[in-house]
Amino acid sequence: MSLDSSTRDATLRALQAIVGDNACLVADADTESYVTDYRRISRGKASVVVLPSSTEQVAAVMAWCHTHDVPVVPQGGNTSLMGGAVPDTRGDAVVLNLSRMNRVLAIDTVNDTLTVQAGVTLAAARAAAEEGGRLFPLRIGSEGSCQIGGNLSTNAGGTAVLRYGNMRDLVLGIEAVLPDGRIYSSLRGLRKDNTGYDLKHLFIGAEGTLGIITAAVLKLMPQPRASAVAFVAVASPDAAVRLLGEAKRLSGGAVTAFELISGPALDLVLDYLGNVASPLAQRHDWMVLIELSSGADAASLEATLLEILESGYEQQLVQDAAIAASVADAQTFWRIREEISDAQTRTGGSIKCDVSVPLSRIADFVDEASRRVLELVPDARMVIYGHMGDGNVHFNPLRPKDADAKAFLAQWYKPVSDLVDGLAHGEGGSISAEHGIGAVKRDDLRRYKSQVELELMWQVKRALDPKNLMNPGRVLPAMGEGG
Amino acid sequence: MSLDSSTRDATLRALQAIVGDNACLVADADTESYVTDYRRISRGKASVVVLPSSTEQVAAVMAWCHTHDVPVVPQGGNTSLMGGAVPDTRGDAVVLNLSRMNRVLAIDTVNDTLTVQAGVTLAAARAAAEEGGRLFPLRIGSEGSCQIGGNLSTNAGGTAVLRYGNMRDLVLGIEAVLPDGRIYSSLRGLRKDNTGYDLKHLFIGAEGTLGIITAAVLKLMPQPRASAVAFVAVASPDAAVRLLGEAKRLSGGAVTAFELISGPALDLVLDYLGNVASPLAQRHDWMVLIELSSGADAASLEATLLEILESGYEQQLVQDAAIAASVADAQTFWRIREEISDAQTRTGGSIKCDVSVPLSRIADFVDEASRRVLELVPDARMVIYGHMGDGNVHFNPLRPKDADAKAFLAQWYKPVSDLVDGLAHGEGGSISAEHGIGAVKRDDLRRYKSQVELELMWQVKRALDPKNLMNPGRVLPAMGEGG
């Protein structure tokens, strides 16, 4: 279907009547940032970008679009790495951006819940929790831009999943507008409710293909009384996994983060940061950042950390370690870890694979995938880092120093990512641990999901969105009759 | 449809061909325990009780039943309190019991996962975890009989939810046979996998109305290095909630259980146990059982417990407290809590309401519901206990000592449970926190769920089970076109 201007005008007038003139954008200059994805890989077109201020407005927009067969692309902070939050180039879709629904609705420090509209940024949600003396534990790099609705729709992960779970585990209820404009709500803040199907799980992780999440009740946690952080050189990925086992055993559940960092990843980020030194005296091939946190006093927690490291030395898992002696130290260790992503973006020419495998297979996977990628691209810089404690690594081979970024990606992106994804899948793993599917990996699902899984996804999709208007062309690969 | 014997014979012959003669039961004496529910409230009829030994057998049975429009009632340990695991009286349904699929398939102590068939009992799963030096934390009274498949299908809760979550939170993947015999599998043991809809959540908590769970990968936890238990008299339900807040704040996440026990509940269970004394010198109206556990050493954890109790005394929340000085003490405290359920069953005449409300409302709810029930039934014994830390209480008014159990229930069950459920609902709560819906509460959903929630449940049901053959007449209330 090509978009004629009369259709667009009718859409614009209808949406203006619902949300007001100043909440509808159509000029290219105004819509540019809403139709271009975060990584600037794809640039689509929108019929109208609409910015509703209330759930009722969202419902009215959805009902109108449903009646008139207009596709809708839900959008939060537009930080998807998978092109999941921008429209395609057909130009017939309405982009429904939640940014104006950015109110913290309630905090209940007895029930330990925070109720927010979907457009509240993760940073604002964390700040609201902290003001109430509580922790909202989701921790990802884009927290200043990404929004709770998007965090839910993509089941965001990050660096504290090992302790607190993914976004799916951090929410008690949601409000969502269905494709036809009906409003579903489970904003009750209950930790137990076994009264029929738990419908919120349909919308969490569905990347906006089944409806639009408009509000949520988030779980709050006690703020830890103490934390202890170490930057540790380990003998190998296998040594890292075994050290994690010791950390779990000796701390009994206090391991909050366990992040792998390869030598080339550290080289890259130190070069990028310029004025930050490695916490360790020598260069190492593999390191981990460990954080423990708990309700114990700081001295007891540090003793546990020392016990873990000593056990690691004894078993020749640990080669060297720096324990953060101050909050500033801990922040520096974390900054090194967190800036790896930006360092890659700035450098250009990074092949991003976000894979997970069972922890018992991850060391073999990292060894084998590294070997195989270096066979293909002998000079690639093996930037490998991420949430090893969850079996999740960002396996991101980077262009050789003297290679052109564009040419490198054009030649190697597909063969390398197919190789890495295939190896992860072969180890019983996932080709997208936390980044989702969006547009980028949609067709890959045909290779990596069983026929029954794909059929079930389409059975659910058709049941909730029979007109296929919600974020069309995202997540679900086209199938014979289905897409 | 009435069942004629030729239909039944055809079903029997077909199923015998799939599972063998000795895995099909039809004689009344043989099927009795499979068609009668745990509480002996309802007794149904089955066409055949079939006991498959493998997923492939389950799939073949389901495919045959689907083709021939035969309803199927999935059954695990048959411990449902809601009549959710037994057939109705029509006699046309096949009861598909998973008991013979009771193998522990794998334990992975690096990935911290346990893979089991659905018929493994909870006790056997816990034992397998313990053999591997790990904890599988689900803890409910029926652990010796109930099975993992049923725990998943009902999203079981229990006494460790505050720390570890409900059953839904304790599983990484499942295998399920769909209504038409297709096999869905996500037995990969991944902590992160954002590749499309997380389909396992369709089957968890669906009480067998969308398919049959045949296997699961469960999360294992580190065994705590220390635990500390106290039996505490508190001034009121409100004092209990405030003490919980102190416990969370001061322990930073180490509160594993926080169970409320009313005076009449303690009276009842001590009377039932006979040779067990109250941990406290005097009688109190309200008590809580607190358990902390963590990776800290025992001395540090006990210091934290003391700090919590001292803070409670200072704020006049705590009236008296007994700290378990030994493992035997702790076991006695827990035995008192856990035997309340059996004490009620033995006594007879218990009106079981399993409600939850937000923690910030639970004290008011308990006060108000108690007052209103006593207005109706002045001599009722207010047996109130359960998982206050989750906002969940078993609010179970018991017949007066001299009242006949049957007559009491006939007169008061419905008015009292309607009253209690209505008050919980009015506080934003749930009428079934952990027991599910089954047959017993199915029609109540029409009052307590929104129209959109009911419609969505039916949209999902029709998408997965268009012939309505899976556990028909359970969970989903009949609606115009739907049921």
Side-chain angles (χ1 to χ4, degrees), chain B residues 134-253:
Chain B
R134 297 292 181 274
L135 173 71
F136 181 66
L138 191 76
R139 198 160 68 181
I140 59 179
S142 56
E143 66 166 38
S145 313
C146 67
Q147 299 172 7
I148 294 299
N151 296 153
L152 285 164
S153 295
T154 58
N155 186 29
T159 54
V161 171
L162 179 58
R163 177 67 170 275
Y164 297 105
N166 294 291
M167 189 63 176
R168 186 186 296 277
D169 306 305
L170 302 175
V171 61
L172 293 176
I174 65 167
E175 177 189 77
V177 176
L178 305 184
D180 58 10
R182 284 176 297 161
I183 299 170
Y184 158 74
S185 176
S186 60
L187 295 179
R188 281 178 295 251
L190 300 176
R191 281 172 170 73
K192 285 182 172 174
D193 180 19
N194 279 347
T195 53
Y197 305 161
D198 194 343
L199 299 163
K200 68 173 176 286
H201 290 290
L202 288 169
F203 304 97
I204 299 167
E207 302 187 29
T209 60
L210 298 175
I212 298 188
I213 295 171
T214 47
V217 182
L218 306 177
K219 282 189 207 171
L220 301 180
M221 312 290 171
Q223 285 179 326
R225 293 170 88 188
S227 69
V229 178
F231 201 95
V232 184
V234 290
S236 63
D238 180 59
V241 171
R242 288 160 63 198
L243 183 64
L244 171 63
E246 286 298 285
K248 285 186 191 170
R249 183 177 70 82
L250 292 167
S251 78

Side-chain angles (χ1 to χ4, degrees), chain A residues 193-211:
Chain A
D193 180 19
N194 278 346
T195 53
Y197 305 161
D198 194 343
L199 299 163
K200 68 174 176 286
H201 291 290
L202 290 168
F203 305 97
I204 299 168
E207 302 187 30
T209 60
L210 298 175

Side-chain angles (χ1 to χ4, degrees), chain A residues 10-259:
Chain A
T11 303
L12 178 61
R13 280 194 306 276
L15 300 190
Q16 283 175 330
I18 295 168
V19 298
D21 291 7
N22 76 351
C24 290
L25 312 177
V26 288
D28 284 352
D30 296 337
T31 62
E32 172 71 19
S33 66
Y34 299 91
V35 299
T36 309
D37 85 302
Y38 179 73
R39 288 166 69 190
R40 297 181 185 276
I41 288 172
S42 68
R43 189 172 164 216
K45 274 199 274 186
S47 163
V48 180
V49 174
V50 62
L51 297 146
S53 302
S54 69
T55 301
E56 291 65 33
Q57 286 186 355
V58 175
V61 168
M62 296 287 277
W64 190 90
C65 289
H66 187 258
T67 303
H68 297 84
D69 294 334
V70 173
V72 176
V73 176
Q75 186 179 76
N78 194 13
T79 61
S80 171
L81 299 175
M82 291 296 168
V86 289
D88 58 27
T89 53
R90 293 159 31 139
D92 56 345
V94 165
V95 171
L96 194 157
N97 183 289
L98 280 296
S99 298
R100 293 193 185 175
M101 292 179 59
N102 61 354
R103 281 185 299 133
V104 171
L105 300 172
I107 183 165
D108 181 337
T109 55
V110 175
N111 198 38
D112 280 340
T113 46
L114 179 71
T115 307
V116 297
Q117 287 186 311
V120 166
T121 64
L122 174 54
R126 286 178 59 97
E130 206 171 315
E131 267 175 51
R134 297 291 182 275
L135 173 71
F136 181 65
L138 191 76
R139 199 161 67 182
I140 60 180
S142 56
E143 66 165 35
S145 312
C146 68
Q147 299 173 7
I148 294 298
N151 296 152
L152 285 164
S153 294
T154 59
N155 186 30
T159 53
V161 171
L162 180 58
R163 177 66 170 276
Y164 297 105
N166 294 290
M167 189 62 177
R168 187 186 295 278
D169 307 304
L170 301 175
V171 61
L172 294 176
I174 64 167
E175 177 189 78
V177 176
L178 304 183
D180 58 9
R182 285 176 296 160
I183 299 170
Y184 157 74
S185 177
S186 61
L187 295 178
R188 281 180 294 252
L190 300 176
R191 280 173 172 70
K192 285 184 173 173
D193 180 19
N194 278 346
T195 53
Y197 305 161
D198 194 343
L199 299 163
K200 68 174 176 286
H201 291 290
L202 290 168
F203 305 97
I204 299 168
E207 302 187 30
T209 60
L210 298 175
I212 298 187
I213 295 171
T214 47
V217 182
L218 306 177
K219 283 187 206 172
L220 301 180
M221 312 289 170
Q223 287 180 325
R225 294 169 89 188
S227 69
V229 179
F231 201 96
V232 184
V234 290
S236 64
D238 181 59
V241 171
R242 287 160 63 198
L243 183 64
L244 172 63
E246 285 300 283
K248 285 186 191 170
R249 183 178 70 82
L250 292 168
S251 78
V255 188
T256 303
F258 194 93
E259 297 283 314

Side-chain angles (χ1 to χ4, degrees), chain B residues 105-125:
Chain B
L105 300 173
I107 184 165
D108 181 338
T109 56
V110 176
N111 198 38
D112 280 340
T113 47
L114 179 71
T115 307
V116 297
Q117 288 186 311
V120 167
T121 63
L122 173 55

Side-chain angles (χ1 to χ4, degrees), chain B residues 260-267 284-287 382-385:
Chain B
L260 182 73
I261 300 171
S262 72
L266 184 66
D267 298 341
H284 298 268
D285 287 341
W286 296 103
M287 288 142 289
M382 299 306 286
V383 176
I384 301 167
Y385 65 103

